[in-house]
Amino acid sequence: MKDIIAAEAEFSRAGVLGIIDFYFTPYALGDAITWVQNAQVMAQKNGARPIDLVLVALPERPASRLQRHIGPHNYIQTLDDLMPAFLTCPSLRSVRVFQVRGSISQRLLGAIYAKTKSWPPLWSHFRGQLDYSGHRSINAFHAEKGWLPRLAPPRGFKHETEQFRQRYHNGKVPIVVNIRQSRLTPIPA
């Protein structure tokens, strides 16, 4: 076990850790993009380090109380549908999905030993005090620097994205609107 934690600590030293635990955070596109942007801001604040994403989806607690319709039988499909959002991070080094509590504990202990910067802060994660959709850090970074890290097409989608832009945009700047369809779900909001 010590060797595993030492390996996790060594891996953690060069990067910034982004942790999303779906027991606390909803499976939602906007929240995922905001979370990725918060991780990018943390990386920029710490010298533009590469980002390692940790996605926690435990079968015994697969979703937050906001999404009771997601359970052990469908959480993997739900996560799979959301995965491209996590791949919009240009400085992404790794994505790991944890489905076993012991494995995530080893990963987080390694990050603690390495004193790795993370979004959210590790202690906030342990306390379950997560601001998964907040913009405070993003807004503060922009106020200080005057710019924000940019997202990119998900890895593997760049060619299709460029074809779409050439075909439909003709040099115009697109405005993307994500219209919520929650009224059609078991939890209308």
Side-chain angles (χ1 to χ4, degrees):
M1 177 104 106
K2 289 180 183 179
D3 291 340
I4 293 171
I5 294 171
E8 293 289 4
E10 185 61 34
F11 182 70
S12 295
R13 282 193 174 81
V16 166
L17 185 63
I19 310 162
I20 191 165
D21 187 332
F22 290 105
Y23 182 69
F24 301 109
T25 307
Y27 295 87
L29 178 61
D31 294 340
I33 295 294
T34 300
W35 182 78
V36 168
Q37 190 65 359
N38 274 308
Q40 287 197 125
V41 163
M42 180 61 72
Q44 288 296 324
K45 286 180 182 178
N46 289 281
R49 294 179 175 197
I51 297 174
D52 300 308
L53 299 182
V54 167
L55 312 178
V56 182
L58 303 176
E60 65 272 16
R61 51 180 229 184
S64 77
R65 60 182 169 73
L66 300 172
Q67 295 178 314
R68 295 187 195 280
H69 62 285
I70 299 173
H73 58 282
N74 66 348
Y75 79 100
I76 293 294
Q77 180 62 48
T78 307
L79 177 58
D80 189 52
D81 290 344
L82 195 56
M83 191 59 75
F86 300 112
L87 304 178
T88 61
C89 180
S91 56
L92 182 65
R93 178 172 63 179
S94 69
V95 178
R96 290 169 67 185
V97 178
F98 288 89
Q99 296 179 286
V100 177
R101 188 181 309 271
S103 298
I104 185 60
S105 297
Q106 293 167 355
R107 178 67 184 102
L108 297 181
L109 278 173
I112 289 169
Y113 287 134
K115 297 182 178 165
T116 302
K117 298 293 183 185
S118 69
W119 177 261
L122 286 166
W123 298 115
S124 295
H125 176 77
F126 289 131
R127 286 188 219 118
Q129 298 172 331
L130 305 176
D131 183 11
Y132 53 82
S133 63
H135 295 85
R136 274 177 268 155
S137 179
I138 297 168
N139 292 338
F141 184 87
H142 185 269
E144 179 185 337
K145 305 286 186 185
W147 64 278
L148 288 173
R150 296 191 53 114
L151 300 173
R155 291 183 183 188
F157 291 86
K158 187 170 182 138
H159 180 71
E160 289 84 354
T161 302
E162 286 305 314
Q163 283 182 327
F164 181 86
R165 290 181 70 172
Q166 288 175 6
R167 183 172 181 186
Y168 295 106
H169 295 175
N170 296 327
K172 297 176 185 167
V173 176
I175 305 296
V176 178
V177 179
N178 179 17
I179 299 173
R180 293 183 58 102
Q181 297 288 318
S182 64
R183 67 180 178 82
L184 304 174
T185 70
I187 306 174

